[in-house]
Amino acid sequence: MFKHSDFLIFIREKVANILLLLLLEKEQKITIAFLSKKSDLNYSHTKKVIQKYEECGFITTKKIGRDRIIALTTKGKKVAQLLLKIKNESNELVNVK
């Protein structure tokens, strides 16, 4: 079960965008450095988010040489798809006049 502090990670847009990047990005080898640059977060913060996502079972990481390759789990894909749906629907609500 998630603690309240685990849930708060989804409220921050840049942090949630990490899961969305993993869902939508076509790059084969996604690394912490890549996610850090694309999400506009510093490397150390991105690394902490990745560690939390891994603890929650949303991603897996695999060390290849000096890089740590990141991939969504089935659970992570479901969460990312829900976040994408929420993001799209909230954008539609904001744009409705």
Side-chain angles (χ1 to χ4, degrees), residues 56-92:
C56 292
F58 298 151
I59 63 163
T60 59
T61 61
K62 182 178 180 182
K63 186 128 172 96
I64 299 178
R66 291 177 42 170
D67 292 327
R68 187 162 296 279
I69 306 303
I70 303 158
L72 286 173
T73 61
T74 302
K75 183 179 175 181
K77 284 179 187 172
K78 289 178 184 177
V79 171
Q81 288 167 342
L82 288 170
L83 286 171
L84 184 60
K85 183 177 178 181
I86 291 167
K87 183 177 182 177
N88 290 338
E89 288 183 13
S90 65
N91 285 342
E92 288 175 19

Side-chain angles (χ1 to χ4, degrees), residues 21-34:
L21 283 167
L22 287 166
L23 179 67
L24 301 173
E25 187 60 48
K26 303 301 180 206
E27 183 80 26
Q28 291 293 331
K29 296 180 179 177
I30 298 177
T31 63
I32 294 172
F34 175 85

Side-chain angles (χ1 to χ4, degrees), residues 33-59:
F34 175 85
L35 290 172
S36 175
K37 183 176 181 181
K38 287 281 194 173
S39 62
D40 195 30
L41 292 168
N42 68 46
Y43 184 89
S44 62
H45 186 133
T46 304
K47 186 175 180 179
K48 287 178 184 177
V49 171
I50 292 301
Q51 289 171 340
K52 180 57 81 173
Y53 281 161
E54 193 165 25
E55 288 171 15
C56 292
F58 298 151
I59 63 163

